[in-house]
Amino acid sequence: MSNAEIAHVLEKIARLLEVQGAIRFKIQSYDRVSRVVADLDRPLAEIFAAEGHKGLTALPGIGESTAAKIEEMLTKGRCTKYEELQAALPPGIEELLAVPGMGPKTALLAATRLKVRSLDDLERAIQAHKLAALPRMGAKLEEKLLKGIAIVRQGLARKSLGEALPLADALLDSLRALPGVSRAEAAGSLRRMRETVGDLDLLVAPRRPADATAIMRAFVSHPDVTGIIAHGDTKASVRLRQGLDADLRVIEPAAFGAALHYFTGSKSHNIRVRELGVKLGLKINEYGVFRGAKRVGGREETEIFRAVRLPFIPPELREDEGEIEAAAKGRLPRLVDARDIRGDLHVHSTWSDGRASIEAMVAAARALGYEYLAFCDHSQSLKVARGLSVPDLRRKHREIDALNRDLRGFRVLKGAEVDILPDGSLDYPDEVLDELDVVVASVHTRFTLDEAAQTKRVVAALRHPRVTFLGHPTGRMLGMRDAHPINLHDVIAAARDHGKALELNAQPDRLDLSSGPLREARAAGVMIAIGSDAHDTASLSFVPRFGAGAARRGWVGPGQVLNALPLAKLLKRLGNAKPRSARFRAASPGA
DNA sequence: GCCGTTTTCGGCCCGACTGTTTTCAGTCG
C-alpha cells in the first residue's frame, strides 16, 4: 500500500475511534500519525524494506502499535484493527461522517436510533423529520445536514490557488476600504501557498473595538456572498458565489500577530509551537502569548516565534515537516523571493500557440524588472499547438537577432519547448538544437505509458546534452488530470547526474513540481527553473505570483533557481553544456 | 497511542459558534 493509502486507513481509524468514544489522546495520536505518513517524502515500503521495524518506529509519532499496523498493511494489504472497528460499528457510518456538520455523536445516534446506513437514508430521515425528534437535535441541524449532503454529492472540490488568490485579494481590498479597518490579511492554506485551498481565512483588525460590528455586517453583505453559515461577534463564515467559503475574524490589534500565526497554521505546525510554549511555561493561543494570565506578546507574528526562541518561520514552510527543527538549529534556508527572479525561461509567442508577439512579451517582461526572456515555442510535431517547423524556427531566430540588436539591458533568448517523443528522442535534430540557448524538453503525448517506460523516456531526454531543463515534469493539471506515472526519484537522480535543471511550472493549475520533489531536488543539488509557460503577457506574472511561493514551499533558495541568475551567469551556464553536444552527436547514429 | 536534559507513568494544544438547552454538548478549525 502507498503512503497515501496507509494514511487514509489511519485517519479512518481515528474517525471510528471517535465514534466509539475512545479517549481523546488516542484519537489525536492516530490523527497525528496519519498526517506524518501523508507528508513523508519516502515511501513507507522503502523505509521498511531498508530499515525494518526500527525504521518505522524512528518516525515521529509512530510507536510499536502503529508500526505493527503499518507492517501489516505493507505486507498483507489490510489492517485488522480497521476491519474490527468497521465490524463493531453500524455499517455505513463512515459515509455519514463525511457529511459536514455530522460529527461522531450525531452519526452514531442516526445510525443506531434511525438505522440510517447511507447518504440516501440520511436524506430520507431528515425529510421525514425523524432526526429532529432525537434528543438535542432540531430543525436547524436538519437544514445544515441537508446542505452538507449536497456538498458531499457535488464533491468537496478545493479550489486552485489560481482561483482562490485573486478572490482573497479582492475581498481584502474591499475590507481595507472600510473606514473602521486598520489591517486586513489572508491566513490559512492560502498564505502558506498550498496549491489548493479549501476556504479563505481572512483577518481584520478594527480601528476601534466598536468598529467590529460594522465590519462584520459589511462582510456578510458583500455582493459575492450567497449564503451566511455563521455570523457571531468576532467570526463570520459565508459561502461565496465562486463556490468557496470564506471566514472572517475580527481581531484586536494587540492580538493580530498571534491570530495571524494561529489561523495560518498548519494545524500540526501550530501544535508544535504551542507545545514548545508549554515547555517554557507559556500558553499560546490566537489571543497572544501568555505567562499565567499576563499577555506577554501577540501584536506581531514575530513575537510568537521569539517567545518559543525560534527565528521567524516563513508561512510556506509551516507544515511541521522539519521547519521547527531547522529553525531551532538556526538552519532555516534563505528562500527564493519574487524579487530574486531575473527572467523567465519558458514563454510562448504568436510563433506557435501564444497570443502575444515577442515584442509585446518583452515589454511586459521589462515591466516586471526582468533581464531576459527565453521564447520556447512548441516543436514541429506538436501540431495542435502550431509547433514550429525548422524553417519557421530559423525565421523566428532572425526576428530575435534583429530585436536583440536594438535592445539595451535586456536579452531575448532563443528557445524551444521540444517534445520528448515516445522513444525518448527529441523533436528537433541536434544541429537545430545547437542553435538554441534554451531547450525545454517536455512530454505532451502518450501520458498513458507505464511508470517504467515513461521514466525511461524522460531520463533519456535528460541525458541529451542540449537539454536545459525538463518542462512540467509530471504533467499534472490540478483538479483535472493526475500526474502521469513517472518515478521522480529516478528523474531527479538523472538531472543531478547530467547537470540538468527541472522546471517548476508556475501555471497555477499545474504548479508542477510540488513541494516534496522540490525538496528532494534541492537536496540533490538540482537547479530549478521557475517557468511561467506564459501564452500571453499577463501570465508572465505567474512566476512571481505563484511560482515563487510554490518554490518556497519546496525550501528552494535563490541559489537553486536557474532564472534567478543574472544574465551573464545564466549565459555562461547555458554555454557550458554546448561543447558536449559534439560528442553526443558522434555517439548517436541517426541524429 | 506516544513520549521523556525534570518523567518509563502520567501527562498530552486551544477556543468560537450553534442549537437546543436552562448549563452545555457537538462540531469545526
Side-chain angles (χ1 to χ4, degrees):
Chain A
M1 287 170 79
S2 71
N3 286 6
E5 289 165 333
I6 291 170
H8 184 68
V9 171
L10 293 167
E11 210 264 337
K12 287 285 198 177
I13 290 176
R15 298 287 75 75
L16 293 180
L17 284 171
E18 223 165 27
V19 175
Q20 268 199 337
I23 60 161
R24 196 157 44 98
F25 304 110
K26 195 176 196 171
I27 295 160
Q28 276 177 7
S29 177
Y30 275 102
D31 273 326
R32 170 159 193 238
V33 83
S34 162
R35 282 194 304 270
V36 166
V37 169
D39 291 338
L40 283 177
D41 21 311
R42 251 180 102 194
L44 281 169
E46 195 182 302
I47 295 173
F48 184 55
E51 300 157 51
H53 183 79
K54 278 222 161 52
L56 297 179
T57 54
L59 295 167
I62 297 183
E64 290 303 323
S65 167
T66 311
K69 290 180 185 76
I70 292 175
E71 286 172 34
E72 188 193 10
M73 285 189 260
L74 286 173
T75 54
K76 302 205 178 87
R78 52 186 289 215
C79 177
T80 311
K81 171 79 176 180
Y82 179 43
E83 290 165 11
E84 284 169 2
L85 280 169
Q86 284 176 315
L89 292 167
I93 194 109
E94 291 172 89
E95 192 172 322
L96 300 183
L97 288 171
V99 177
M102 177 76 91
K105 305 289 184 195
T106 316
L108 186 63
L109 212 54
T112 50
R113 297 279 288 272
L114 303 177
K115 304 282 178 250
V116 166
R117 297 279 179 270
S118 64
L119 277 192
D120 291 343
D121 281 356
L122 179 63
E123 191 172 31
R124 278 191 292 272
I126 293 172
Q127 276 153 358
H129 297 298
K130 287 187 194 162
L131 201 71
L134 295 176
R136 288 194 148 274
M137 315 253 161
K140 289 288 183 89
L141 180 72
E142 289 189 332
E143 197 184 319
K144 183 159 83 178
L145 290 176
L146 279 180
K147 283 185 186 163
I149 291 170
I151 288 172
V152 173
R153 289 208 173 120
Q154 68 184 238
L156 283 159
R158 289 173 68 90
K159 294 285 174 184
S160 78
L161 191 61
E163 291 175 272
L165 198 59
L167 202 52
D169 283 346
L171 285 171
L172 287 173
D173 283 346
S174 65
L175 287 168
R176 286 177 186 136
L178 296 172
V181 170
S182 73
R183 212 169 156 184
E185 299 290 343
S189 50
L190 183 89
R191 183 161 178 249
R192 304 201 312 278
M193 295 294 281
R194 273 198 55 170
E195 51 213 22
T196 61
V197 172
D199 61 6
L200 305 180
D201 291 294
L202 307 176
L203 306 184
V204 155
R207 289 196 191 282
R208 296 185 315 268
D211 292 326
T213 325
I215 296 170
M216 290 298 236
R217 241 196 332 258
F219 178 68
V220 299
S221 49
H222 188 279
D224 282 345
V225 169
T226 56
I228 301 172
I229 301 160
H231 182 179
D233 290 338
T234 65
K235 180 193 166 184
S237 289
V238 298
R239 182 140 299 155
L240 301 173
R241 183 171 52 78
Q242 292 83 351
L244 201 63
D245 291 350
D247 291 348
L248 177 72
R249 289 171 173 88
V250 177
I251 313 285
E252 56 162 330
F256 198 82
L260 191 57
H261 180 260
Y262 180 88
F263 290 110
T264 296
S266 66
K267 189 173 171 139
S268 8
H269 168 93
N270 285 354
I271 290 173
R272 293 290 308 280
V273 169
R274 290 197 292 265
E275 281 171 356
L276 289 176
V278 169
K279 285 186 187 133
L280 295 167
L282 301 168
K283 183 173 77 167
I284 297 173
N285 58 29
E286 61 264 53
Y287 300 107
V289 182
F290 296 87
R291 186 175 299 283
K294 184 176 157 53
R295 175 155 62 194
V296 295
R299 185 173 291 271
E300 297 303 327
E301 212 177 25
T302 46
E303 295 170 13
I304 308 301
F305 292 108
R306 200 179 310 143
V308 294
R309 299 175 187 167
L310 293 178
F312 180 82
I313 300 178
E316 296 91 340
L317 299 188
R318 299 182 198 165
E319 300 290 347
D320 188 20
E321 289 177 9
E323 77 280 7
I324 307 255
E325 292 77 3
K329 289 183 201 146
R331 295 222 184 109
L332 278 179
R334 145 106 157 86
L335 299 178
V336 66
D337 190 89
R339 291 182 298 265
D340 294 317
I341 303 297
R342 303 294 190 92
D344 196 328
L345 298 175
H346 184 177
V347 309
H348 296 262
S349 73
T350 43
W351 279 95
S352 67
D353 59 345
R355 288 176 294 281
S357 67
I358 290 183
E359 275 193 280
M361 294 291 280
V362 165
R366 300 196 80 163
L368 287 174
Y370 287 174
E371 298 173 37
Y372 51 85
L373 209 50
F375 284 89
C376 298
D377 284 298
H378 290 287
S379 60
Q380 52 193 357
S381 74
L382 199 65
K383 304 289 185 205
V384 290
R386 306 204 297 128
L388 283 146
S389 66
V390 171
D392 280 344
L393 181 70
R394 289 182 169 144
R395 269 191 285 278
K396 176 184 154 189
H397 288 171
R398 286 198 286 278
E399 180 181 327
I400 291 176
D401 287 335
L403 203 55
N404 274 331
R405 274 194 292 277
D406 296 337
L407 285 170
R408 291 292 168 267
F410 194 92
R411 179 71 162 270
V412 183
L413 298 172
K414 295 171 190 164
E417 182 174 13
V418 182
D419 264 51
I420 304 174
L421 302 175
D423 66 355
S425 64
L426 298 179
D427 192 27
Y428 284 131
D430 285 1
E431 62 270 22
V432 173
L433 297 176
D434 274 342
E435 298 165 27
L436 299 168
D437 300 307
V438 174
V439 175
V440 183
S442 299
V443 168
H444 290 119
T445 55
R446 298 292 300 276
F447 298 118
T448 52
L449 289 180
D450 65 32
E451 181 178 307
Q454 195 70 269
T455 306
K456 193 173 162 207
R457 172 189 187 185
V458 165
V459 166
L462 283 171
R463 208 178 285 134
H464 193 294
R466 286 305 299 133
V467 167
T468 316
F469 61 89
L470 173 67
H472 42 71
T474 77
R476 72 173 183 179
M477 302 285 271
L478 294 166
M480 289 167 61
R481 187 170 79 200
D482 284 342
H484 53 245
I486 189 160
N487 184 331
L488 284 176
H489 303 291
D490 291 354
V491 170
I492 291 166
R496 178 198 60 210
D497 293 345
H498 301 287
K500 299 306 167 63
L502 298 175
E503 182 176 49
L504 163 52
N505 189 293
Q507 295 266 337
D509 57 354
R510 286 189 186 267
L511 295 178
D512 181 10
L513 296 170
S514 61
S515 60
L518 282 175
R519 286 188 72 173
E520 194 180 334
R522 170 181 180 267
V526 170
M527 295 287 282
I528 302 297
I530 308 177
S532 68
D533 204 349
H535 287 65
D536 53 52
T537 53
S539 305
L540 282 171
S541 69
F542 287 164
V543 170
R545 194 119 197 259
F546 304 108
R552 291 165 67 83
R553 282 185 64 79
W555 294 52
V556 172
Q560 285 122 325
V561 176
L562 200 55
N563 49 319
L565 290 174
L567 178 64
K569 286 193 174 161
L570 176 77
L571 289 176
K572 196 169 164 212
R573 195 184 160 89
L574 294 175
N576 279 346
K578 260 185 183 168
R580 293 169 59 192
S581 64
R583 291 202 303 276
F584 184 83
R585 266 209 307 280
S588 308

